[in-house]
Amino acid sequence: MSIAPSNFYDFNYDSLNQYILDRFSIDQKKGGMRTNQLWKFVYKKGLHNIAQFSNLPSDLKTNLENNLSFKRVEISEKKISSDGTIKWLIKLADNNLVETVFIPSDNRGTLCISSQVGCTLNCKFCHTGTQMMVRNLSTSEIINQILIAKDELKDWGSQKKITNIVYMGMGEPFYNYDNVKQSVAILRNNHGLDYSAKKITVSTAGVVPEIMNAAKEIQTYLALSLHAPNDELRERIMPINKKYKIKDLIESCAYYAKVNKEKIFLEYVLLKNINDSLDCAKQLIKLMSKFPCKLNLIEFNAWPGVSYEPSSPDVIKQFYQAIKKSGHIVTLRKSRGEDILGACGQLKTESEKKRKSL
Ligand code: SF4
């Protein structure tokens, strides 16, 4: 029985180096050079056809052919919003579907990637959360989302069109901790994609033990999906709060901020008559003074069947002003890509619909 080739995109730089030394009997002295060449072909030039890997000895090419897969995952569907947002529905080898969204703006291009097929956390306002959790993505499936987006955007030149990467698509990244950690290491490696830690944001609904681990092991920006200023309300809209309380979240985020010397992004989606009162704003201000953080207020995108509604523009303005007056940093995030359901909390409909018709 032949052994299935390993996937190139599952390796980080050091493990690839070790792999080719162990498997391809490469001279120890040349191992680093070969790893460097391979890494550059794949992550600097975007090549995935071994025939295009120039200056490699033919026996190494044969070994690569027989042992490693460089295959990309497939794009099942692509939609472009009137505001320039692009959403790709990506078909994995087992036919599961995940979504990747590119959000261009004046001075940056942000790619929002998924870490799981579906999500177990069932946040009540989130469309993805109503989709059954299927499985974690492998490192190569996470990395493939970036490679495919770069192929599509012709982003292999020195000027990066994808300037920022956010793990805010489908799934809870810290429930797929090892693969998220490995993928961040690949993104950050300066022989290849070379994204600095400050160009990557990992978002979590609040998995306290992994926030503590990630402070030293992942070290990107951290975004906490807070969405409520007290336990009672948060438990109602985010069941994960039954396990990890706000007090513990604050402690772990304070630790993360201290280790990384950066503020934590707090995500707060405004839901009409649920978490948008001035009293909630006051409670939020108190929480914000306990650790270095800044707040992203998000307009809610309603989806079919949801019982929540977006807050009115006046209420949003009042909430925003209350936080701003308190001296904390606050931004209001406009919804992008609404017309293609690529906006926050909407990453479900299309993949589910598509699955049904497969
Ligand atoms: S908001 Fe995030 S963590 Fe919560 S259900 Fe949606 S995808 Fe999962």
Side-chain angles (χ1 to χ4, degrees):
M1 201 176 69
S2 64
I3 301 169
S6 301
N7 198 312
F8 181 90
Y9 313 110
D10 280 327
F11 289 92
N12 64 24
Y13 189 86
D14 291 340
S15 62
L16 177 69
N17 190 38
Q18 200 55 53
Y19 178 89
I20 64 167
L21 286 175
D22 292 348
R23 294 290 291 265
F24 302 164
S25 19
I26 288 177
D27 181 348
Q28 191 83 24
K29 284 187 205 138
K30 290 200 171 153
M33 179 181 85
R34 295 297 179 218
T35 304
N36 214 353
Q37 280 178 303
L38 286 173
W39 203 264
K40 278 192 174 146
F41 289 138
V42 172
Y43 290 125
K44 277 262 186 256
K45 298 188 171 174
L47 303 178
H48 46 105
N49 178 351
I50 296 170
Q52 295 175 308
F53 294 0
S54 52
N55 302 328
L56 286 188
S58 57
D59 58 335
L60 177 54
K61 283 190 179 180
T62 309
N63 270 327
L64 291 171
E65 202 79 63
N66 294 337
N67 293 283
L68 285 174
S69 166
F70 294 81
K71 209 168 168 270
R72 297 272 204 265
V73 291
E74 282 173 39
I75 297 174
S76 168
E77 200 176 313
K78 172 181 174 181
K79 287 195 172 176
I80 305 178
S81 162
S82 53
D83 67 13
T85 301
I86 307 174
K87 184 172 71 170
W88 296 277
L89 187 58
I90 290 182
K91 187 156 102 180
L92 307 173
D94 60 2
N95 287 337
N96 273 308
L97 297 162
V98 289
E99 279 152 334
T100 306
V101 183
F102 177 66
I103 307 147
S105 63
D106 291 346
N107 54 0
R108 62 164 69 185
T110 303
L111 190 72
C112 175
I113 58 174
S114 298
S115 55
Q116 297 183 304
V117 182
C119 188
T120 44
L121 289 181
N122 198 18
C123 303
K124 302 297 178 208
F125 52 84
C126 171
H127 209 187
T128 310
T130 63
Q131 181 177 340
M132 224 176 16
M133 162 72 179
V134 181
R135 65 173 175 82
N136 281 339
L137 297 190
S138 64
T139 301
S140 59
E141 288 167 336
I142 297 173
I143 288 295
N144 255 271
Q145 295 174 67
I146 295 125
L147 301 181
I148 278 184
K150 284 179 82 70
D151 289 345
E152 285 274 300
L153 297 167
K154 302 199 177 14
D155 190 25
W156 290 108
S158 52
Q159 187 78 36
K160 277 182 186 161
K161 291 180 190 160
I162 300 173
T163 57
N164 295 64
I165 294 180
V166 297
Y167 288 70
M168 290 187 182
M170 297 165 78
E172 162 54 52
F174 285 165
Y175 277 175
N176 187 11
Y177 185 87
D178 290 342
N179 289 321
V180 165
K181 179 178 150 190
Q182 178 85 327
S183 63
V184 168
I186 294 169
L187 288 178
R188 289 180 60 182
N189 188 281
N190 59 7
H191 299 286
L193 292 165
D194 195 18
Y195 283 95
S196 83
K198 306 301 174 215
K199 294 289 180 187
I200 306 170
T201 303
V202 176
S203 153
T204 179
V207 186
V208 168
E210 302 299 25
I211 294 174
M212 301 297 283
N213 293 332
K216 289 204 168 141
E217 294 178 353
I218 294 188
Q219 302 194 307
T220 60
Y221 277 125
L222 181 74
L224 172 69
S225 299
L226 185 65
H227 306 308
N230 60 64
D231 283 325
E232 191 264 324
L233 180 53
R234 196 163 189 268
E235 256 161 57
R236 262 205 283 147
I237 60 174
M238 296 184 75
I240 191 176
N241 203 80
K242 291 185 184 135
K243 189 160 182 191
Y244 302 114
K245 304 291 179 203
I246 289 181
K247 180 178 162 290
D248 301 323
L249 280 182
I250 304 278
E251 268 172 32
S252 60
C253 284
Y255 174 73
Y256 195 102
K258 191 172 160 205
V259 171
N260 290 290
K261 301 183 180 55
E262 286 294 348
K263 292 185 168 66
I264 306 295
F265 297 117
L266 296 182
E267 306 287 318
Y268 195 102
V269 66
L270 285 160
L271 305 168
K272 185 176 177 183
N273 297 334
I274 302 286
N275 64 355
D276 62 353
S277 65
L278 279 178
D279 189 43
C280 282
K282 277 185 201 149
Q283 292 178 44
L284 190 54
I285 290 164
K286 264 197 190 158
L287 286 185
M288 288 183 75
S289 49
K290 296 191 175 165
F291 65 113
C293 60
K294 43 190 171 185
L295 181 68
N296 277 331
L297 292 175
I298 306 161
E299 288 176 17
F300 176 61
N301 298 300
W303 36 272
V306 70
S307 55
Y308 299 112
E309 291 173 52
S311 305
S312 71
D314 280 351
V315 169
I316 292 176
K317 202 170 155 194
Q318 276 171 20
F319 200 98
Y320 172 86
Q321 292 295 356
I323 306 284
K324 204 170 159 67
K325 259 196 215 147
S326 73
H328 291 295
I329 303 173
V330 53
T331 52
L332 181 58
R333 203 159 77 203
K334 293 271 172 215
S335 235
R336 297 288 308 271
E338 265 178 293
D339 54 334
I340 55 166
L341 292 177
C344 191
Q346 293 189 330
L347 298 183
K348 172 197 173 179
T349 317
E350 292 298 300
S351 60
E352 283 260 297
K353 270 195 211 150
K354 193 84 186 167
R355 190 174 297 123
K356 278 179 192 144
S357 62
L358 283 174

